[in-house]
């Protein structure tokens, strides 16, 4: 898995921070979480082809999280994309779809499926499960988690002991199929180890600290949480339905995550490392996102 | 007058070229010609406050020329703008207005007036005249010219000779008012020199070479002309209704402009200085625009 921050500002960008957008490369796919203005150019700086993006997840419909989508889609079209693109977002997505497809002369010739979603499972397949939950913002905001489904270890010695011949049957059993050996049925559970936890990443979108965030972030390897304000601006965080550094760190602690990455940083702070220092006081394993930061796990 | 190129790419941006947008500072105003995606961040790099922009002129409604407008307007709002903003553009502007004001949750609290315009005079006051003309593109495109109205020289010696007392009457005469001196009417024409040509700048938007471009660019000090393609890609220029370097240079020559600035450069060329070399062969005083290029005149 590779996470790449394309933009890490809040509503207004700065010299060093572009609008929010985060890439996750995994499972042979490229996911994009939010798509702030100029995400398409940030992709160029990050050397990630927009043609490889398979799914886009929108947290909410404030301009800083969505205004890069019309241009990104149009550029995909210019480059001759034919592959389907799936776009997920909360209530309002269908309305947004109509607006962006009516922005000037816009001809999109590749298939795009818009999925207006609610809290719950967003996508599930053999390799991963993506969930979302409504959190507390001044408009509907969805936080997303993506979790790897990791197969239990295959107990090779035990399989051989049970008479399973080395070969294709090993793969079948590991993939959950029963096999017959000398008239006897061998079940996957006979030759598989304990369930193993896959990697999990959670992204908050814009939110006040809330139980829903703790719930969806539970045991994540990485929690990417907005931290628009420093602790001293808690009144502004309340007023604008955002989080402070302390808020984000408390969520990380309660959810028992491994690492907290702070993003959506207000450009009002010249020295925004204060945000990191404040988070670290509550949750030691905190990091501050910067544009084009790459994290591998 | 100061011209600042915020973006100089064509449809798809590159590492070094952002989408089209050009600032002109003059007459105590800040004009923006086209507003490609991320124009608001390019303004930050150029150290130009978006709050000072008075008028925006859109050439046409292809995404690369307009997708920065929703974010720019929203950021003006976030920063507490109260001053009116005027936006001019061809047929389609009112439809575009409805789309951008419906992009997600968008609350604009300062006054914006949208002016859907046709060929002719766009704005005229004592200091300048802005005109536009329809050119040849695959959608309606307007090229714009902005021309300073320069007052004739005030012939001080002649005014004194005619008995005009040194003082406020000098100003009145220079501003076109008659004054009475000892019962005799003195007309402005009695004390003013020959008409003087003010500075003139013309911007093509996206266009095929055409007589309309020659007409509007006539005698400009600076012609900013699209040059999407090198001469060898003339077939693509025809197909997509754009200009080659040679096309742009020929227009500059026919219109007898002082300087030609080439912009809207296709990102397909690794060595885009070829475009400049090709233009120079036809029109010597050619220059290639780059992002953040500043020209003073």
């Amino acid at each position: 898995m590779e996470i790449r921050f394309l933009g890490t500002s809040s509503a207004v960008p700065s010299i060093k921070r572009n609008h929010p957008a985060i890439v996750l490369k995994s499972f042979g796919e490229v996911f994009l979480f939010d798509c702030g203005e100029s995400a398409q150019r940030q992709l160029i700086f990050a050397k990630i082809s927009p043609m490889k993006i398979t799914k886009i997840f929108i947290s909410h419909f404030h301009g800083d999280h969505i205004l890069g989508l019309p241009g990104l889609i149009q550029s995909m079209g210019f480059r001759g994309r034919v592959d389907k693109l799936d776009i997920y977002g909360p209530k309002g997505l269908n309305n947004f779809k109509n607006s962006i497809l009516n922005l000037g002369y816009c001809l999109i010739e590749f298939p795009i499926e818009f999925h207006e979603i609610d809290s719950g499972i967003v996508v599930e397949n053999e390799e991963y499960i993506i969930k979302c939950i409504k959190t507390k913002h001044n408009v509907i905001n969805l936080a997303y988690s993506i979790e790897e489904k990791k197969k239990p270890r295959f107990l090779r010695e035990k399989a051989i002991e049970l008479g399973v011949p080395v070969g294709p049957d090993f793969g079948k059993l590991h993939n959950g199929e029963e096999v017959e050996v000398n008239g006897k049925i061998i079940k996957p559970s006979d030759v598989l180890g304990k369930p193993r936890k896959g990697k999990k990443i959670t992204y908050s979108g814009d939110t006040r600290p809330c139980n829903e965030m703790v719930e969806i972030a539970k045991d994540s390897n990485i929690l990417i949480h907005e931290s628009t304000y420093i602790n001293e601006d808690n009144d502004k965080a309340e007023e604008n339905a955002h989080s402070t550094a302390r808020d984000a760190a408390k969520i990380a602690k309660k959810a028992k995550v491994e690492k907290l990455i702070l993003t959506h940083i207000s450009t009002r702070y010249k020295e925004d490392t204060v945000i990191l220092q404040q988070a670290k006081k509550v949750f030691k394993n905190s990091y501050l996102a910067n544009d084009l930061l790459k994290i591998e796990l």
Side-chain angles (χ1 to χ4, degrees), chain A:
Chain A
M1 281 186 176
E2 180 187 309
I3 300 169
R4 199 78 193 266
F5 287 84
L6 299 180
T8 57
S9 78
S10 56
V12 177
S14 68
I15 288 273
K16 65 176 203 166
R17 296 189 187 276
N18 199 63
H19 280 135
I22 304 166
V23 166
L24 173 65
K25 286 174 162 180
S26 196
F27 314 109
E29 292 193 62
V30 178
F31 306 120
L32 180 63
F33 291 89
D34 282 335
C35 189
E37 188 173 343
S38 204
Q40 65 166 312
R41 192 151 182 241
Q42 296 297 100
L43 283 166
I44 298 173
F45 291 125
K47 295 187 177 141
I48 297 170
S49 169
M51 306 302 271
K52 294 190 174 163
I53 294 173
T54 49
K55 295 179 175 70
I56 299 176
F57 303 91
I58 302 295
S59 65
H60 67 295
F61 294 103
H62 276 148
D64 51 332
H65 293 252
I66 53 173
L67 290 179
L69 199 55
L72 178 64
I73 293 171
Q74 289 187 26
S75 281
M76 287 172 172
F78 282 132
R79 290 169 187 237
R81 180 169 179 135
V82 289
D83 295 339
K84 185 185 165 209
L85 176 68
D86 287 284
I87 301 178
Y88 303 83
K91 191 170 156 55
L93 181 69
N94 291 332
N95 181 43
F96 181 63
K97 167 192 166 186
N98 295 333
S99 292
I100 62 175
L101 297 181
N102 273 309
L103 276 178
Y105 303 95
C106 172
L107 180 65
I108 304 292
E109 288 178 323
F110 64 94
I112 307 181
E113 193 168 345
F114 290 82
H115 309 259
E116 206 172 80
I117 54 173
D118 208 341
S119 295
I121 294 171
V122 183
V123 188
E124 182 169 14
N125 60 27
E126 284 192 347
E127 292 185 274
Y128 61 82
I129 181 163
I130 299 178
K131 295 178 187 169
C132 71
I133 197 164
K134 271 189 212 157
T135 71
K136 298 204 170 5
H137 192 40
N138 49 18
V139 300
I140 303 173
N141 177 78
L142 295 178
Y144 292 90
S145 72
I146 175 159
E147 190 170 0
E148 180 192 16
K149 288 185 180 175
K150 199 164 182 180
K151 288 176 189 163
R153 205 175 300 281
F154 183 72
L155 306 174
R156 186 185 163 89
E157 300 302 319
K158 203 165 171 196
I160 291 170
E161 211 173 274
L162 289 168
V164 183
V166 176
D169 282 351
F170 276 33
K172 285 183 185 169
L173 283 161
H174 201 188
N175 285 325
E177 283 180 55
E178 293 179 346
V179 299
E180 196 183 317
V181 176
N182 303 328
K184 203 176 86 184
I185 296 295
I186 310 289
K187 291 182 191 163
S189 56
D190 298 332
V191 294
L192 294 181
K194 290 178 196 158
R196 292 191 294 176
K197 191 189 164 299
K199 289 169 191 160
K200 180 178 175 184
I201 293 165
T202 302
Y203 168 56
S204 67
D206 285 5
T207 189
R208 288 288 299 150
C210 55
N211 291 335
E212 290 82 356
M213 268 317 305
V214 177
E215 185 186 332
I216 194 156
K218 202 79 194 163
D219 299 325
S220 292
N221 297 81
I222 290 183
L223 166 61
I224 301 164
H225 199 292
E226 75 124 300
S227 175
T228 311
Y229 296 106
I230 58 173
N231 296 343
E232 290 76 4
D233 286 335
N234 186 49
D235 54 338
K236 288 194 185 70
E238 280 184 8
E239 188 187 343
N240 300 313
H242 284 296
S243 298
T244 63
R246 188 196 294 121
D247 292 334
K250 278 186 175 175
I251 296 293
K253 201 172 182 179
K254 283 187 195 169
K256 298 193 170 103
V257 308
E258 253 175 51
K259 272 187 192 174
L260 167 66
I261 318 285
L262 304 158
T263 191
H264 201 269
I265 310 299
S266 171
T267 50
R268 77 187 59 213
Y269 307 119
K270 277 196 183 139
E271 283 301 324
D272 53 22
T273 49
V274 172
I275 286 191
L276 178 60
Q277 290 155 13
Q278 293 184 336
K280 274 178 172 290
K281 281 187 189 162
V282 178
F283 186 79
K284 204 178 158 197
N285 217 2
S286 298
Y287 300 83
L288 182 65
N290 285 311
D291 282 19
L292 303 182
L293 171 71
K294 189 198 281 190
I295 298 174
E296 290 183 36
L297 81 158

